[in-house]
Amino acid sequence: MKKREYQVCTNCVMDTTDSKIQFDSRGYCDHCNNFYNNILPNWHPDEKGAHELEMIVEKIKQDGENKQHDCLIGLSGGVDSSYIAYLAKEKLGLRPLIFCVDTGWNLDVANKNIKRIVDNLQLDMYTEVEDWEEMKDLQLAYFKSQVPYQDTPQDHAIFAALYNYAANNGFKYVLTGANYSTECVREPNEWVHVNDIRQIKDIHRTFGERPLIKFPLCGMFKYRLYYRYIKGMKIIQPLNLISYKKEDAIKELHDRFGWERYKNKHFECIFTRFYEGYWLPKKFGFDKRRAHFSSLILTGQLEREEALEILKHPPYPVEEAMQDMEFIATKLGITKAEFEEMMKGENKTYRDYKSEMFWIELAINLAKLVGIEKRNFR
């Protein structure tokens, strides 16, 4: 098959490392056109959104009356989750329980940011510590599988633990930091595979060495159907209903709490820093900053020329990446040489393992049809 000629969008910085990207006659990609045609007309970070948020908050307060907490918020120490905790308690007057997941990889700066938010706002916090031996075994299985999306075990543990806890403890409302302002361009599925229980189990069955007994699991149908319609749990995204700008939020968090910023999105975790900053671009040629920067370009928070200039440089210094590699290898119980040998292996995709992609694509297409999902998915 003839190799596709390299092309980068003339409006954002998404390029043909997204193998299914399409361009119009102006050179605009389909991520941009989807933003202008589907997201922007239905996104209201204005008076309409403020009114909707006011109604939601009032309902949360009513349903949470006489309860110790009226909602649950997952906090990682990153800017979005930190801001949603601040917004909920101080600006909206809610009584959230903060939920943290310890997967064994957080940097000190993330833990300090969490403590700053929780202590200053006098919030109650519950931390779920995942079984390290199971986490380690699953993460090592993913490296052996040679797929790009090495953060799946950790992402899934955080996501599943949050929603399972909410459902099992009677929380009707879960507030998340998901937002169009910084995430309107979704990373292609070949870069970051979706929440796929069948694939997690297949990769672990193929390469894992110990059973997953304590590791939290929660598939798309469980949280979208069972938790929503049987348990009555609602997932709220308040940042879509206010004017939310990343740099403004960082400044406000810093001024109010002494919150510390990270070099890149999701770099509050050493594992994610290495995966996004070295494993993906070095082994597969995928740079997630393209999606992150494109979201900021489309929402007027970053100039395209500035993004292109930043992309000329690696996400973080190679020397630091090598130190992270050695740390990660040692923590996973292998040598750096063994890790480097894995990086030389044949690249794989989700198609090389069992998956639920037929049902996931069907569910997402239905969600797009009824207006629940508006971002590109492929």
Side-chain angles (χ1 to χ4, degrees), residues 63-215:
D63 291 346
E65 194 173 359
N66 300 321
K67 294 182 180 179
Q68 185 177 2
H69 307 101
D70 51 24
C71 59
L72 187 69
I73 297 175
L75 178 58
S76 69
V79 58
D80 298 336
S81 65
S82 295
Y83 198 83
I84 199 68
Y86 166 51
L87 174 73
K89 173 67 187 295
E90 192 154 289
K91 298 189 177 185
L92 301 179
L94 295 173
R95 294 176 289 108
L97 173 65
I98 298 302
F99 186 86
C100 295
V101 180
D102 182 354
T103 61
W105 295 105
N106 261 13
L107 292 165
D108 285 344
V109 63
N111 294 327
K112 288 178 181 177
N113 279 343
I114 290 171
K115 182 173 174 55
R116 290 180 180 111
I117 297 293
V118 170
D119 288 354
N120 275 278
L121 293 174
Q122 298 183 310
L123 294 166
D124 293 331
M125 182 175 77
Y126 175 82
T127 299
E128 178 167 311
V129 180
E130 300 308 333
D131 183 279
W132 171 244
E133 293 304 318
E134 292 188 17
M135 174 66 69
K136 178 176 72 172
D137 190 60
L138 183 56
Q139 289 187 300
L140 194 54
Y142 259 77
F143 276 123
K144 291 176 180 177
S145 74
Q146 302 291 335
V147 295
Y149 17 90
Q150 292 302 315
D151 231 7
T152 294
Q154 185 173 227
D155 277 352
H156 186 84
I158 294 169
F159 156 88
L162 175 68
Y163 293 137
N164 288 345
Y165 184 90
N168 293 334
N169 290 275
F171 280 92
K172 192 172 180 180
Y173 299 95
V174 178
L175 275 58
T176 80
N179 65 89
Y180 290 134
S181 180
T182 65
E183 300 169 347
C184 59
V185 174
R186 185 190 182 280
E187 296 99 335
N189 199 43
E190 60 189 334
W191 297 11
V192 183
H193 193 50
V194 291
N195 177 33
D196 190 335
I197 288 284
R198 190 181 186 200
Q199 183 138 119
I200 291 173
K201 291 181 177 179
D202 189 47
I203 287 176
H204 182 258
R205 188 183 302 114
T206 305
F207 300 102
E209 296 180 356
R210 61 186 303 135
L212 297 180
I213 297 172
K214 299 177 182 178
F215 185 82

Side-chain angles (χ1 to χ4, degrees), residues 217-281:
L217 293 169
C218 180
M220 179 178 291
F221 293 99
K222 187 176 185 179
Y223 90 89
R224 284 192 180 273
L225 297 177
Y226 178 67
Y227 283 172
R228 180 176 180 181
Y229 295 106
I230 304 301
K231 291 283 193 176
M233 186 175 75
K234 295 177 174 59
I235 300 170
I236 311 296
Q237 300 174 350
L239 297 184
N240 278 336
L241 302 173
I242 65 170
S243 177
Y244 179 68
K245 302 293 185 182
K246 182 179 177 181
E247 287 302 319
D248 292 345
I250 288 173
K251 184 178 186 306
E252 194 170 356
L253 289 171
H254 174 75
D255 292 346
R256 176 67 175 80
F257 305 105
W259 188 93
E260 293 182 54
R261 70 185 301 151
Y262 314 111
K263 183 175 177 60
N264 288 312
K265 187 177 177 70
H266 300 149
F267 271 34
E268 64 268 25
C269 167
I270 189 170
F271 187 94
T272 305
R273 178 173 70 186
F274 176 78
Y275 148 67
E276 291 189 2
Y278 191 81
W279 172 275
L280 269 182

